[in-house]
Amino acid sequence: MDSVLLPSEIDIFIDTMTPQKMKDIATPQWLDWHQRLQRLNQEALVEASAVKEEHVKETLVTYGKVKVLIHEAILISIWKQKILPQLFKLEPSPESTFIGYTILYHEAVCVALLELVLYHPSCCETLEDSAADLLDYAYGAASQLLSVKQVEPEAQENTEKELLRQKNNLSFDIGIRSLAIIRYLTENLDRLPFSITSQVYTTYDIPVLFTEILCVAPWLKDEKIYSGGTWKVWDNEQLGQAEAQVWLTLRQLLLDPECPKRYNLTETRRNQLAKLLPLMRPTLLDQLSPLIELNHWLHRVGVMEQSAASTGPLLLETVLGLKDNILKECGGKWKKLAQKQLPLVFNNDKEALQEAARKLSVAYNTDLLEKLEVKDQATCAQCGKGAIQRCSKCKKSWYCSRACQVTHWPQHKEECKC
């Protein structure tokens, strides 16, 4: 598959990445920055889909720029909470929301790129203190899945309702991607600051949150399943990627040898986790066999007598450096910032909008996205069913279960490259 960027362009784009300021959002310079980031995202998607050298990931790690992506996602999340409502107060019925949507989409681009690169443990190692900001952000985004639903356009939809609907739908997609980000963080706790473990188990209680999300199953709607950013027909059995991420995260956390030391199984928590057992259908265990161990663990926990509460681990105060710095820089002057951004965000100048659209058309490569759509429908190399797990060595062959991977190994081992 053709590349989006040359290696030299990747190096330049990433080397010059700098955290943006709230006051600069929607300026022509910021739009150029958004375009570069989107092209990096598409190149990373091409590299991951084609199983080729992941130059974008390696360069982000080498230059230490993964933190910039976290900063940008948090920046836009604050913008849509604090400034967007002020903009609608100043201009309730804007003529154009093109730039406004671009700003909202910028957050989704950052999260998509984070999801791609954090699959690799080497990226998690570079997070350092920003891991706390990322976990806080991903927890907030994933929590929205308990209430946010994707909705279709209304027949008579004004520009305000249109932008708010787009904001809602992007929040849903970001929440789905945040499930994977949380999984990657939990699988690399030993590479992250010590305080992150306490935050995962205690501050945010990820096991209970993910249990609630499984009960709601936001990725299912009207006999369809959300996969690869779109809704597809569902056969009522096939395990989707989002659900698999949640189950694998729960298995990782609850079966971790450190869990008894970090996670006090109170009566409330035991009752919440007990909701998982009815969800562990035979078809689920067939497709994701590692969950058999989790199933056994849940049954044991269900019959255990309540033990005395142990003294939990020392809780360290969470310092959200990136988020706190953004809020401090803005100084709570949201209305003033909105007044300055109003003519940029709700720009009515046709020539300016056409120029912006021309620049961004390079980044929004629809032909490329259509080609990559096929990659979201990976099939098991052994039985041909839908697959959700890749060979951890070569990352080329996909499997629906551990059993199929073991069965296929005699044929696969010759082409598998360690």
Side-chain angles (χ1 to χ4, degrees), residues 19 30 75 84 99 169 177 180 312 343 355 371 404:
W30 183 89
L75 181 73
L84 184 59
I99 300 299
N169 290 350
R177 293 183 184 278
E355 176 62 19
K371 292 179 181 178
C404 275

Side-chain angles (χ1 to χ4, degrees), residues 269-289:
R269 283 174 171 164
R270 283 159 47 125
N271 290 338
Q272 288 292 320
L273 295 175
K275 296 177 181 178
L276 295 172
L277 285 171
L279 303 177
M280 303 187 86
R281 314 172 302 276
T283 53
L284 171 66
L285 300 179
D286 287 343
Q287 295 178 71
L288 208 57
S289 56

